[in-house]
Amino acid sequence: MPVATLESVSFSYGRNRVLNDIDLNLDNGVTGILGPNGAGKTTMLQLLTLNLRPSIGSIKINGAKVTNEAQARKCRGLIGYLPQRFEVMSLRSVRANVEFAAWAHGVPTADCARAADHAIARVGLEDRSNTRAFRLSGGMRQRLGLACVIAHEPKILILDEPTVGIDPVQRSQMRKLFRELSADSAVLLSTHLIDDVTHVCDRVLVLNHGAVRFDGSVNDLEQIGREGVAQDRHGSAAENGYLRIVQGHES
């Protein structure tokens, strides 16, 4: 059974349709979402975090259809969401931030310390547990954010541009974490960095003009790029494949 499902989902802001007839099943593993600005990626993430409701169609989380706010509240306990810009309590310690995040996601108070220590260990911040958040480097803050959203052990982990602005070493460490987390969770990675996709993703979606234009493996994407190499020799095979797909659906 898929961990998350979109069934014939469309979404409109007023008269502006942003997503059109999306069908999607997510299972354990890492799925990358690529697409130009305005393609509908953010709206899809907001639907999957249950912060938006479909205009048409339905969403299922762990097999349960979400049709009202009470169901959404229950299902949000299965979801971890790391936005591109996340806020932490900068004057509090790493452990205090993660304990609070665990509690906010429904972990019983008595279990929050254990949950925080486990999450902190998973992201490799044990030696920073008592450090105030504002003293962390950019890469360490990203790891703190990740610890905050995995402390309740979600089945679905949604990451929005999680490696932007961090150095190559930290990026490599984050990619390794995504792979490890995908053993127990469906990880959805929205990014503009195609290198992140080629290094970590089992599956790639390309979204453009509100529709899924490609759904396949990294190898499939690279094959499309190699077929178009005569048109563009400047990027990698994956980059060229992405460009061919997007440019093929420009209106």
Side-chain angles (χ1 to χ4, degrees):
M1 179 179 65
V3 182
T5 300
L6 300 182
E7 295 181 337
S8 302
V9 166
S10 297
F11 185 86
S12 300
Y13 292 101
R15 295 182 179 179
N16 180 29
R17 179 162 288 192
V18 181
L19 292 178
N20 187 41
D21 199 25
I22 302 288
D23 289 299
L24 177 66
N25 291 320
L26 293 178
D27 295 295
N28 286 9
V30 185
T31 298
I33 300 183
L34 296 170
N37 292 334
K41 300 190 303 298
T42 299
T43 299
M44 181 182 284
L45 298 189
Q46 291 299 308
L47 286 164
L48 286 165
T49 56
L50 307 179
N51 291 321
L52 292 176
R53 303 266 184 86
S55 302
I56 301 172
S58 62
I59 299 175
K60 291 181 180 178
I61 301 296
N62 212 30
K65 186 176 287 189
V66 181
T67 59
N68 56 51
E69 183 56 29
Q71 292 169 338
R73 281 196 300 270
K74 182 177 180 180
C75 288
R76 285 189 190 107
L78 302 174
I79 300 168
Y81 173 48
L82 182 63
Q84 186 175 354
R85 295 178 178 85
F86 65 95
E87 298 294 331
V88 297
M89 299 178 290
S90 63
L91 295 177
R92 301 293 300 278
S93 70
V94 166
R95 180 181 283 109
N97 273 275
V98 183
E99 285 182 358
F100 177 80
W103 173 82
H105 283 97
V107 176
T109 301
D111 297 329
C112 285
R114 177 201 58 79
D117 286 341
H118 180 61
I120 289 167
R122 291 190 80 178
V123 303
L125 285 178
E126 304 102 307
D127 62 338
R128 302 284 180 165
S129 289
N130 297 315
T131 300
R132 291 186 178 184
F134 77 89
R135 295 186 181 277
L136 298 179
S137 67
M140 288 183 179
R141 282 179 64 90
Q142 288 295 93
R143 283 194 275 166
L144 170 57
L146 191 57
C148 287
V149 300
I150 66 172
H152 63 296
E153 299 184 353
K155 289 185 174 294
I156 306 165
L157 188 57
I158 299 172
L159 309 173
D160 189 1
E161 300 283 357
T163 64
V164 168
I166 61 177
D167 66 54
V169 173
Q170 297 275 11
R171 184 174 296 119
S172 176
Q173 292 169 343
M174 291 290 281
R175 289 170 177 165
K176 182 174 182 290
L177 280 170
F178 303 156
R179 292 298 314 165
E180 292 171 353
L181 292 166
S182 72
D184 302 310
S185 304
V187 177
L188 187 63
L189 172 65
S190 178
T191 182
H192 286 291
L193 300 176
I194 294 180
D195 274 356
D196 280 354
V197 170
T198 58
H199 281 85
V200 78
C201 291
D202 305 293
R203 177 187 181 191
V204 185
L205 305 175
V206 177
L207 199 65
N208 198 22
H209 295 301
V212 175
R213 306 298 182 178
F214 172 86
D215 183 351
S217 69
V218 171
N219 285 338
D220 294 334
L221 182 64
E222 290 175 335
Q223 182 57 38
I224 292 172
R226 284 190 286 269
E227 291 169 357
V229 72
Q231 285 75 38
D232 186 354
R233 294 179 180 274
H234 301 296
S236 68
E239 289 169 332
N240 290 336
Y242 166 73
L243 289 173
R244 289 195 74 201
I245 291 164
V246 169
Q247 291 169 356
H249 292 91
E250 291 296 338
S251 55

mmCIF file of all heavy atoms in Angstrom, residues 154-177:
data_model
loop_
_atom_site.group_PDB
_atom_site.id
_atom_site.type_symbol
_atom_site.label_atom_id
_atom_site.label_comp_id
_atom_site.label_asym_id
_atom_site.label_seq_id
_atom_site.Cartn_x
_atom_site.Cartn_y
_atom_site.Cartn_z
ATOM 1 N N PRO A 154 8.202 10.105 11.250
ATOM 2 C CA PRO A 154 7.134 10.153 10.252
ATOM 3 C C PRO A 154 7.293 9.085 9.179
ATOM 4 O O PRO A 154 8.405 8.627 8.894
ATOM 5 C CB PRO A 154 7.301 11.553 9.646
ATOM 6 C CG PRO A 154 8.759 11.852 9.806
ATOM 7 C CD PRO A 154 9.137 11.243 11.128
ATOM 8 N N LYS A 155 6.183 8.715 8.575
ATOM 9 C CA LYS A 155 6.201 7.778 7.449
ATOM 10 C C LYS A 155 6.459 8.503 6.133
ATOM 11 O O LYS A 155 6.861 7.886 5.145
ATOM 12 C CB LYS A 155 4.884 7.008 7.371
ATOM 13 C CG LYS A 155 4.691 5.995 8.491
ATOM 14 C CD LYS A 155 3.425 5.195 8.285
ATOM 15 C CE LYS A 155 3.298 4.087 9.319
ATOM 16 N NZ LYS A 155 4.344 3.058 9.158
ATOM 17 N N ILE A 156 6.187 9.815 6.108
ATOM 18 C CA ILE A 156 6.395 10.622 4.913
ATOM 19 C C ILE A 156 7.262 11.812 5.306
ATOM 20 O O ILE A 156 6.937 12.536 6.244
ATOM 21 C CB ILE A 156 5.067 11.136 4.335
ATOM 22 C CG1 ILE A 156 4.097 9.990 4.098
ATOM 23 C CG2 ILE A 156 5.301 11.920 3.046
ATOM 24 C CD1 ILE A 156 2.676 10.449 3.870
ATOM 25 N N LEU A 157 8.353 12.015 4.591
ATOM 26 C CA LEU A 157 9.266 13.112 4.875
ATOM 27 C C LEU A 157 9.342 13.994 3.632
ATOM 28 O O LEU A 157 9.778 13.547 2.566
ATOM 29 C CB LEU A 157 10.650 12.567 5.231
ATOM 30 C CG LEU A 157 11.700 13.543 5.739
ATOM 31 C CD1 LEU A 157 11.210 14.283 6.977
ATOM 32 C CD2 LEU A 157 12.993 12.799 6.044
ATOM 33 N N ILE A 158 8.896 15.250 3.769
ATOM 34 C CA ILE A 158 8.825 16.177 2.643
ATOM 35 C C ILE A 158 9.857 17.275 2.846
ATOM 36 O O ILE A 158 9.812 18.001 3.835
ATOM 37 C CB ILE A 158 7.402 16.753 2.521
ATOM 38 C CG1 ILE A 158 6.403 15.616 2.266
ATOM 39 C CG2 ILE A 158 7.331 17.785 1.402
ATOM 40 C CD1 ILE A 158 4.958 16.045 2.316
ATOM 41 N N LEU A 159 10.787 17.372 1.906
ATOM 42 C CA LEU A 159 11.931 18.267 2.043
ATOM 43 C C LEU A 159 11.924 19.268 0.894
ATOM 44 O O LEU A 159 11.971 18.879 -0.279
ATOM 45 C CB LEU A 159 13.236 17.465 2.014
ATOM 46 C CG LEU A 159 13.318 16.264 2.962
ATOM 47 C CD1 LEU A 159 14.599 15.471 2.695
ATOM 48 C CD2 LEU A 159 13.267 16.724 4.405
ATOM 49 N N ASP A 160 11.899 20.563 1.222
ATOM 50 C CA ASP A 160 11.841 21.613 0.217
ATOM 51 C C ASP A 160 13.188 22.324 0.147
ATOM 52 O O ASP A 160 13.561 23.070 1.058
ATOM 53 C CB ASP A 160 10.725 22.603 0.569
ATOM 54 C CG ASP A 160 10.447 23.598 -0.546
ATOM 55 O OD1 ASP A 160 11.098 23.508 -1.604
ATOM 56 O OD2 ASP A 160 9.578 24.469 -0.356
ATOM 57 N N GLU A 161 13.934 22.063 -0.907
ATOM 58 C CA GLU A 161 15.256 22.676 -1.124
ATOM 59 C C GLU A 161 16.163 22.529 0.109
ATOM 60 O O GLU A 161 16.713 23.514 0.612
ATOM 61 C CB GLU A 161 15.100 24.162 -1.479
ATOM 62 C CG GLU A 161 14.281 24.433 -2.734
ATOM 63 C CD GLU A 161 15.055 24.176 -4.019
ATOM 64 O OE1 GLU A 161 16.242 23.832 -3.935
ATOM 65 O OE2 GLU A 161 14.461 24.313 -5.090
ATOM 66 N N PRO A 162 16.371 21.313 0.596
ATOM 67 C CA PRO A 162 17.081 21.149 1.875
ATOM 68 C C PRO A 162 18.586 21.369 1.822
ATOM 69 O O PRO A 162 19.214 21.511 2.871
ATOM 70 C CB PRO A 162 16.770 19.695 2.253
ATOM 71 C CG PRO A 162 16.590 19.011 0.929
ATOM 72 C CD PRO A 162 15.910 20.028 0.055
ATOM 73 N N THR A 163 19.188 21.400 0.617
ATOM 74 C CA THR A 163 20.646 21.542 0.560
ATOM 75 C C THR A 163 21.085 22.891 0.003
ATOM 76 O O THR A 163 22.280 23.099 -0.229
ATOM 77 C CB THR A 163 21.271 20.427 -0.301
ATOM 78 O OG1 THR A 163 20.830 20.559 -1.654
ATOM 79 C CG2 THR A 163 20.890 19.052 0.225
ATOM 80 N N VAL A 164 20.149 23.817 -0.197
ATOM 81 C CA VAL A 164 20.511 25.136 -0.727
ATOM 82 C C VAL A 164 21.358 25.899 0.297
ATOM 83 O O VAL A 164 21.041 25.927 1.483
ATOM 84 C CB VAL A 164 19.248 25.946 -1.071
ATOM 85 C CG1 VAL A 164 19.595 27.411 -1.334
ATOM 86 C CG2 VAL A 164 18.554 25.353 -2.291
ATOM 87 N N GLY A 165 22.458 26.466 -0.172
ATOM 88 C CA GLY A 165 23.257 27.340 0.677
ATOM 89 C C GLY A 165 24.235 26.645 1.607
ATOM 90 O O GLY A 165 24.805 27.300 2.481
ATOM 91 N N ILE A 166 24.423 25.328 1.437
ATOM 92 C CA ILE A 166 25.407 24.660 2.291
ATOM 93 C C ILE A 166 26.561 24.159 1.431
ATOM 94 O O ILE A 166 26.418 23.962 0.219
ATOM 95 C CB ILE A 166 24.787 23.508 3.113
ATOM 96 C CG1 ILE A 166 24.200 22.423 2.211
ATOM 97 C CG2 ILE A 166 23.720 24.059 4.037
ATOM 98 C CD1 ILE A 166 23.641 21.250 2.986
ATOM 99 N N ASP A 167 27.718 23.950 2.064
ATOM 100 C CA ASP A 167 28.915 23.625 1.297
ATOM 101 C C ASP A 167 28.875 22.168 0.813
ATOM 102 O O ASP A 167 28.050 21.369 1.270
ATOM 103 C CB ASP A 167 30.171 23.910 2.120
ATOM 104 C CG ASP A 167 30.305 23.013 3.341
ATOM 105 O OD1 ASP A 167 30.247 21.773 3.185
ATOM 106 O OD2 ASP A 167 30.468 23.533 4.456
ATOM 107 N N PRO A 168 29.758 21.801 -0.129
ATOM 108 C CA PRO A 168 29.718 20.463 -0.723
ATOM 109 C C PRO A 168 29.851 19.322 0.289
ATOM 110 O O PRO A 168 29.221 18.275 0.115
ATOM 111 C CB PRO A 168 30.900 20.480 -1.698
ATOM 112 C CG PRO A 168 31.042 21.913 -2.084
ATOM 113 C CD PRO A 168 30.715 22.684 -0.835
ATOM 114 N N VAL A 169 30.657 19.492 1.316
ATOM 115 C CA VAL A 169 30.813 18.434 2.317
ATOM 116 C C VAL A 169 29.505 18.217 3.071
ATOM 117 O O VAL A 169 29.033 17.086 3.239
ATOM 118 C CB VAL A 169 31.953 18.771 3.301
ATOM 119 C CG1 VAL A 169 31.992 17.755 4.444
ATOM 120 C CG2 VAL A 169 33.295 18.794 2.568
ATOM 121 N N GLN A 170 28.892 19.325 3.516
ATOM 122 C CA GLN A 170 27.613 19.226 4.219
ATOM 123 C C GLN A 170 26.534 18.667 3.300
ATOM 124 O O GLN A 170 25.682 17.883 3.721
ATOM 125 C CB GLN A 170 27.194 20.611 4.740
ATOM 126 C CG GLN A 170 28.133 21.218 5.755
ATOM 127 C CD GLN A 170 27.830 20.747 7.175
ATOM 128 O OE1 GLN A 170 27.066 19.830 7.394
ATOM 129 N NE2 GLN A 170 28.451 21.403 8.153
ATOM 130 N N ARG A 171 26.563 19.058 2.031
ATOM 131 C CA ARG A 171 25.567 18.552 1.079
ATOM 132 C C ARG A 171 25.692 17.040 0.935
ATOM 133 O O ARG A 171 24.692 16.313 0.908
ATOM 134 C CB ARG A 171 25.731 19.241 -0.274
ATOM 135 C CG ARG A 171 24.666 18.829 -1.287
ATOM 136 C CD ARG A 171 24.764 19.633 -2.580
ATOM 137 N NE ARG A 171 24.490 21.030 -2.328
ATOM 138 C CZ ARG A 171 25.349 22.016 -2.543
ATOM 139 N NH1 ARG A 171 26.555 21.743 -3.019
ATOM 140 N NH2 ARG A 171 25.029 23.263 -2.297
ATOM 141 N N SER A 172 26.934 16.558 0.844
ATOM 142 C CA SER A 172 27.148 15.123 0.735
ATOM 143 C C SER A 172 26.627 14.390 1.976
ATOM 144 O O SER A 172 26.012 13.321 1.877
ATOM 145 C CB SER A 172 28.646 14.834 0.544
ATOM 146 O OG SER A 172 28.896 13.454 0.519
ATOM 147 N N GLN A 173 26.848 14.974 3.150
ATOM 148 C CA GLN A 173 26.359 14.363 4.390
ATOM 149 C C GLN A 173 24.838 14.345 4.434
ATOM 150 O O GLN A 173 24.224 13.357 4.874
ATOM 151 C CB GLN A 173 26.920 15.124 5.592
ATOM 152 C CG GLN A 173 28.423 14.969 5.753
ATOM 153 C CD GLN A 173 29.011 15.918 6.782
ATOM 154 O OE1 GLN A 173 28.393 16.917 7.170
ATOM 155 N NE2 GLN A 173 30.222 15.620 7.228
ATOM 156 N N MET A 174 24.210 15.421 3.969
ATOM 157 C CA MET A 174 22.753 15.466 3.946
ATOM 158 C C MET A 174 22.195 14.419 2.991
ATOM 159 O O MET A 174 21.210 13.738 3.289
ATOM 160 C CB MET A 174 22.275 16.858 3.538
ATOM 161 C CG MET A 174 22.525 17.943 4.560
ATOM 162 S SD MET A 174 21.484 17.792 6.043
ATOM 163 C CE MET A 174 19.939 18.476 5.429
ATOM 164 N N ARG A 175 22.814 14.270 1.840
ATOM 165 C CA ARG A 175 22.349 13.250 0.890
ATOM 166 C C ARG A 175 22.409 11.859 1.502
ATOM 167 O O ARG A 175 21.492 11.043 1.325
ATOM 168 C CB ARG A 175 23.205 13.294 -0.376
ATOM 169 C CG ARG A 175 22.991 14.513 -1.254
ATOM 170 C CD ARG A 175 24.061 14.560 -2.321
ATOM 171 N NE ARG A 175 23.882 15.669 -3.246
ATOM 172 C CZ ARG A 175 24.833 16.092 -4.073
ATOM 173 N NH1 ARG A 175 26.017 15.505 -4.101
ATOM 174 N NH2 ARG A 175 24.591 17.108 -4.880
ATOM 175 N N LYS A 176 23.470 11.588 2.227
ATOM 176 C CA LYS A 176 23.597 10.285 2.893
ATOM 177 C C LYS A 176 22.461 10.085 3.900
ATOM 178 O O LYS A 176 21.884 8.992 4.013
ATOM 179 C CB LYS A 176 24.954 10.194 3.584
ATOM 180 C CG LYS A 176 25.236 8.876 4.281
ATOM 181 C CD LYS A 176 26.671 8.851 4.793
ATOM 182 C CE LYS A 176 26.998 7.515 5.465
ATOM 183 N NZ LYS A 176 26.299 7.354 6.745
ATOM 184 N N LEU A 177 22.124 11.149 4.617
ATOM 185 C CA LEU A 177 21.014 11.073 5.579
ATOM 186 C C LEU A 177 19.696 10.771 4.870
ATOM 187 O O LEU A 177 18.891 9.958 5.352
ATOM 188 C CB LEU A 177 20.895 12.395 6.342
ATOM 189 C CG LEU A 177 21.860 12.614 7.494
ATOM 190 C CD1 LEU A 177 21.767 14.063 7.971
ATOM 191 C CD2 LEU A 177 21.539 11.664 8.633
#
